[in-house]
Amino acid sequence: MEQRVFGGTGKQVPVLGQGTWQMEEDDREEAIRSLRAGLDLGLTQVDTAELYGHGRVEESIVSEAIAGRREGVFLVSKVMPSNATYAGTLTACERSLKRLRTDWLDCYLLHWPGSHPLAETVRAFEKLVADGKIRSWGVSNFAVSDLDELLTLTKPERIACNQVLYHLEERAIEHAVLPWCEEQGVAVVGYSPFGNGRFPKPQSPGGRVLEAIARAHDATARQVALQFLVRRPSLFAIPKASRVAHLRDNAAAVSLKLSSDELARIDAAFPKGAYSDELPVI
């Protein structure tokens, strides 16, 4: 599995990880098998959050999947903005650690910008690092204005990542967020890379481009899409796969190599759209 430096952490992390949003709605045993299969194939970044299933995904799925192999997992969770006071962040992290049955998180994120002072959240993150409860921290769904505020509170190397919505039909981050993160050395982690039900249909203009490129590589359209979405060194993706077959299909995307012409064809088929300082959040 290809690995890249994860922002200012200096740690090598697989370019493809595993998302767990809405996994509480899936067959639990198959979801656990899928996560374990992903770990076997090198997709060792596992992303979760206290929000997912109101803690059930952490407690009954992820904790079980990583049991006995915690040292080989880059485990990420998130604090909800409503909990992101100084004391609330510390307490939320302790709850996540207990549910996940682990002593530490590799990275802890603020799920999206909220109403509590960002300085208090950052102070709590640094306290958690000092106490060994987390090894790095970052943010999620932060637009450039949010990132600029964050940079007044900390050094860029302290911000491990910005996790954002990123798929072929939603490329808004490429206007300003991605360049900002690349300039500051912050990793960009794309969630819902298949569009959460909005993946291009084979008969659509963009879908036909993906299918043609996939046929040329004996690959699938989803593998082509994933490879496009991690085409730059700053980019990571965390597709969700609650079935082993889907997981294996995702993992195979790493071996796919797209030419500059193929990347250009995909770029033209899925235009970035107009710039907006507000990021979509799902």
Side-chain angles (χ1 to χ4, degrees):
M1 175 61 61
E2 179 185 356
Q3 297 191 342
R4 295 172 179 173
V5 176
F6 197 77
T9 68
K11 186 174 181 62
Q12 293 282 335
V13 174
V15 63
L16 292 183
Q18 302 187 77
T20 62
W21 179 47
Q22 296 181 329
M23 199 168 267
E24 75 278 4
E25 300 175 5
D26 301 316
D27 179 270
R28 177 179 175 272
E29 295 303 322
E30 180 65 9
I32 291 170
R33 282 192 291 271
S34 180
L35 287 169
R36 288 175 174 168
L39 297 180
D40 292 340
L41 291 172
L43 282 72
T44 54
Q45 180 186 170
V46 176
D47 178 87
T48 190
E50 65 172 348
L51 174 68
Y52 300 169
H54 303 287
R56 295 198 307 277
V57 171
E58 287 183 326
E59 187 168 30
S60 68
I61 298 176
V62 176
S63 66
E64 186 70 21
I66 67 174
R69 50 197 310 177
R70 176 66 185 90
E71 290 289 342
V73 178
F74 188 86
L75 184 61
V76 181
S77 192
K78 310 179 197 73
V79 57
M80 291 174 58
S82 58
N83 291 332
T85 62
Y86 175 76
T89 300
L90 301 181
T91 301
C93 184
E94 291 287 356
R95 288 196 300 260
S96 285
L97 292 174
K98 182 177 180 180
R99 286 190 292 263
L100 290 162
R101 287 180 278 163
T102 185
D103 294 328
W104 82 96
L105 296 172
D106 293 279
C107 196
Y108 196 37
L109 312 181
L110 175 60
H111 210 145
W112 64 86
S115 59
H116 294 303
L118 188 56
E120 293 298 289
T121 313
V122 171
R123 186 163 70 94
F125 283 162
E126 292 293 357
K127 169 66 172 171
L128 290 166
V129 171
D131 291 347
K133 301 296 179 65
I134 67 175
R135 294 183 175 174
S136 64
W137 59 267
V139 294
S140 182
N141 299 301
F142 267 44
V144 167
S145 57
D146 305 310
L147 292 166
D148 284 340
E149 179 187 357
L150 185 59
L151 205 56
T152 68
L153 303 170
T154 191
K155 297 178 180 179
E157 58 266 26
R158 301 302 297 164
I159 311 166
C161 70
N162 185 16
Q163 187 183 116
V164 290
L165 178 65
Y166 188 42
H167 56 84
L168 292 177
E169 301 281 6
E170 181 47 73
R171 297 174 58 192
I173 66 163
E174 294 182 31
H175 288 291
V177 170
L178 180 57
W180 190 101
C181 290
E182 290 182 333
E183 181 178 346
Q184 301 297 337
V186 175
V188 176
V189 181
Y191 69 80
S192 296
F194 299 133
N196 193 36
R198 293 178 53 197
F199 192 76
K201 298 184 183 302
Q203 303 84 2
S204 67
R208 288 196 292 271
V209 172
L210 295 178
E211 293 290 341
I213 295 173
R215 285 194 298 271
H217 291 272
D218 193 25
T220 67
R222 289 177 179 249
Q223 290 168 352
V224 172
L226 272 181
Q227 188 54 234
F228 179 83
L229 296 171
V230 296
R231 67 197 182 281
R232 291 160 70 150
S234 60
L235 291 169
F236 298 77
I238 48 170
K240 172 197 168 188
S242 54
R243 292 192 291 169
V244 174
H246 287 172
L247 182 283
R248 295 190 185 282
D249 188 73
N250 292 344
V254 175
S255 61
L256 180 63
K257 302 302 178 186
L258 301 178
S259 69
S260 57
D261 176 69
E262 289 169 330
L263 292 172
R265 288 164 59 193
I266 299 169
D267 181 65
F270 299 95
K272 291 187 283 289
Y275 169 75
S276 171
D277 187 47
E278 294 186 3
L279 288 185
V281 178
I282 61 171

